[in-house]
Amino acid sequence: MATTKRSTNRPPVEALVAGDRDLMRALMKDALQEVLEAEMTELLGASPNERTETRSGYRAGYYGRGLVTRIGKLELRVPRDRHGEFSTALFERYARSEKALVAALAEMYVQGVSTRKVKAITEELCGHSFSASAISAINKGLDATLAKFAHRPLEEAYPYLIVDARYEKVRESGVIRSQAVLIAIGINWEGHRQVLAVELANRESQSSWKEFLLGLKKRGLSGVEFVASDDHAGLKKAIGEVLPEAAWQRCYVHFLRNALDYLPRKADDDCLQELRWMYDRRDLQEAQRDLAAWITKWQGKYPKLVDWVEGNIAETLTFYRLPRAHHKHLKSTNMLERLNEEIKRRTRIVRIFPNEAACLRLVRALCSETHETWLEDSRYLNMALLAEQKKEFLRAAA
């Protein structure tokens, strides 16, 4: 029986859906409505019209509630129970970052920045245009919530710390400048990731990074044993000053990118691929043995690269002192890079922020959303492995 080949010109389902905003809104609305119904069922211990011995109450109709999203305003039906006990975190958590995005766009509109485009976007998102007083009301509630998130005390130890920066364009006194967004992620002894800090700086420098890290310590940051970052000179010095007790890991991904500067354009691809394999070895001894073989193989062909690698690669091998199961998560800053990509996906809608407050508001809202998701996820790392490794080290030292 002959089979019919699928047309290669047909767009994937995802592309069809993404291109139809009405369909996207309908799908999103259905999904969120199901979440609300499931939360009510969990509270009452029974589905609608279901008789169970575990039922703890009864439904009492619905009330309407609008939710602003990037694909338009959704009108949802929120279930009620007879005793008024039902509440949902759905709106607060999901809407926080959406409100920050809308506020940034609306503020641009009010200030006359790209008015035609911004007005169209905000009206599509919210169904109406904005006044300065409306924006002020949105920001007032957001800023209070985000300030608590940004300045909360850090009351537990974070043995692992990952820090990085990205840049956003901000308008200041009519001039567009790039602002550094400094972000820190910590992993606690329960193995959960948390966004610890999000701050703006005029640029990445030793002083700005030092102030950022000192701010973390003032809020209670303690117990840091290992820090991963890129090789920014100012950041590296700041880590050494503020967290001298912590081992430093230079992100191996950034290291391999830097290696391209020491290779001719038409270099042998096998050279860098073999260097990358050093980071998949079982332990430091195995990596050093293979590194020696790599140096011998490529010294004659690429002496500039080999000399640079010999002088710098040790900074990228610090992760080998950690439990092997932790290597892939901490030999780079990829964990934070993924968060930065999500931030970029959302902030590029704004393109140029009208002021620093609008920029920080949106980025913190996005980070807060991610932070809460991580807290509910299963543990990211098994930190018992690190605790056992430390015990073995102490026994050996004794």
Side-chain angles (χ1 to χ4, degrees):
M1 182 176 178
T3 58
T4 303
K5 289 187 177 181
R6 183 179 178 180
S7 172
T8 56
N9 294 325
R10 178 183 296 177
V13 173
E14 293 85 351
L16 289 170
V17 172
D20 189 334
R21 292 182 66 85
D22 289 336
L23 178 56
M24 282 291 290
R25 274 193 289 268
L27 292 174
M28 177 66 81
K29 179 178 179 179
D30 289 346
L32 296 179
Q33 195 67 56
E34 287 186 14
V35 170
L36 293 172
E37 297 292 349
E39 288 183 335
M40 176 61 85
T41 296
E42 183 177 359
L43 173 69
L44 301 180
S47 301
N49 302 317
E50 180 184 8
R51 295 184 178 181
T52 67
E53 294 181 357
T54 58
R55 177 183 284 277
S56 60
Y58 294 88
R59 288 168 170 76
Y62 296 86
Y63 67 91
R65 171 72 185 270
L67 178 63
V68 172
T69 76
R70 280 158 288 150
I71 56 174
K73 188 173 182 179
L74 306 179
E75 294 296 339
L76 300 173
R77 298 169 68 239
V78 183
R80 284 191 176 106
D81 67 291
R82 291 182 183 177
H83 299 294
E85 296 178 351
F86 178 70
S87 65
T88 176
L90 173 67
F91 294 108
E92 179 182 356
R93 180 182 304 176
Y94 186 82
R96 189 180 305 150
S97 61
E98 301 299 336
K99 282 182 179 178
L101 172 59
V102 170
L105 289 166
E107 195 165 357
M108 293 170 68
Y109 167 48
V110 170
Q111 294 191 16
V113 180
S114 304
T115 53
R116 181 181 300 176
K117 182 177 180 181
V118 174
K119 180 180 179 182
I121 294 174
T122 53
E123 289 185 345
E124 184 174 2
L125 282 171
C126 305
H128 60 84
S129 57
F130 286 84
S131 65
S133 60
I135 294 168
S136 177
I138 292 174
N139 292 345
K140 185 176 180 180
L142 277 171
D143 290 344
T145 301
L146 295 175
K148 290 180 181 179
F149 167 72
H151 304 133
R152 70 191 188 280
L154 303 177
E155 298 175 338
E156 56 184 327
Y158 295 91
Y160 294 156
L161 186 69
I162 303 93
V163 289
D164 197 10
R166 57 169 288 102
Y167 283 84
E168 297 290 350
K169 293 187 181 300
V170 178
R171 191 182 302 273
E172 291 182 5
S173 303
V175 179
I176 299 171
R177 295 188 175 91
S178 290
Q179 290 280 323
V181 182
L182 313 182
I183 303 178
I185 291 175
I187 300 178
N188 62 16
W189 277 105
E190 294 181 353
H192 289 285
R193 295 172 289 176
Q194 296 185 25
V195 178
L196 302 185
V198 184
E199 300 291 346
L200 281 186
N202 290 329
R203 62 189 178 93
E204 285 189 87
S205 64
Q206 182 179 350
S207 60
S208 65
W209 275 117
K210 183 176 180 179
E211 183 179 355
F212 178 78
L213 295 174
L214 286 173
L216 281 166
K217 294 202 77 171
K218 288 178 181 177
R219 288 169 49 207
L221 179 68
S222 64
V224 179
E225 302 180 11
F226 181 95
V227 183
S229 75
D230 63 19
D231 188 43
H232 187 279
L235 173 55
K236 184 178 176 182
K237 290 179 181 178
I239 291 171
E241 287 185 30
V242 182
L243 300 168
E245 70 284 359
W248 177 64
Q249 165 70 28
R250 178 177 179 177
C251 173
Y252 88 97
V253 176
H254 287 83
F255 178 79
L256 293 176
R257 290 175 191 159
N258 296 149
L260 293 171
D261 296 336
Y262 300 88
L263 278 173
R265 286 188 176 182
K266 296 184 178 180
D268 193 325
D269 290 340
D270 289 344
C271 178
L272 280 185
Q273 180 60 44
E274 290 174 11
L275 182 61
R276 201 211 72 79
W277 288 339
M278 305 296 165
Y279 300 99
D280 294 330
R281 298 301 178 244
R282 296 179 60 87
D283 53 41
L284 181 59
Q285 291 71 32
E286 187 177 331
Q288 289 175 331
R289 185 184 65 241
D290 290 347
L291 176 61
W294 181 88
I295 289 171
T296 300
K297 179 177 179 179
W298 297 105
Q299 178 71 60
K301 191 171 184 179
Y302 302 123
K304 187 177 179 181
L305 170 67
V306 171
D307 289 346
W308 177 80
V309 167
E310 279 192 283
N312 295 279
I313 196 171
E315 297 173 336
T316 72
L317 303 176
T318 311
F319 72 94
Y320 276 116
R321 68 180 64 186
L322 304 178
R324 190 180 176 203
H326 295 186
H327 290 179
K328 66 179 181 179
H329 302 285
L330 291 160
K331 62 187 177 183
S332 72
T333 58
N334 283 353
M335 181 196 316
L336 186 41
E337 292 283 352
R338 285 190 288 272
L339 174 59
N340 279 334
E341 282 300 312
E342 176 61 16
I343 293 171
K344 178 181 178 181
R345 185 175 71 85
R346 310 278 279 274
T347 60
R348 69 185 177 190
I349 299 174
V350 180
R351 291 183 59 246
I352 301 171
F353 286 91
N355 50 54
E356 290 184 3
C359 178
L360 191 58
R361 185 180 300 119
L362 177 54
V363 176
R364 278 181 174 170
L366 296 172
C367 288
S368 173
E369 184 182 89
T370 298
H371 173 82
E372 292 182 10
T373 300
W374 282 349
L375 289 179
E376 292 183 353
D377 287 345
S378 57
R379 67 182 181 185
Y380 184 68
L381 293 177
N382 180 2
M383 298 302 287
L385 298 174
L386 180 62
E388 183 59 33
Q389 181 176 286
K390 291 177 67 176
K391 290 180 181 178
E392 290 181 3
F393 178 79
L394 292 174
R395 284 196 293 266

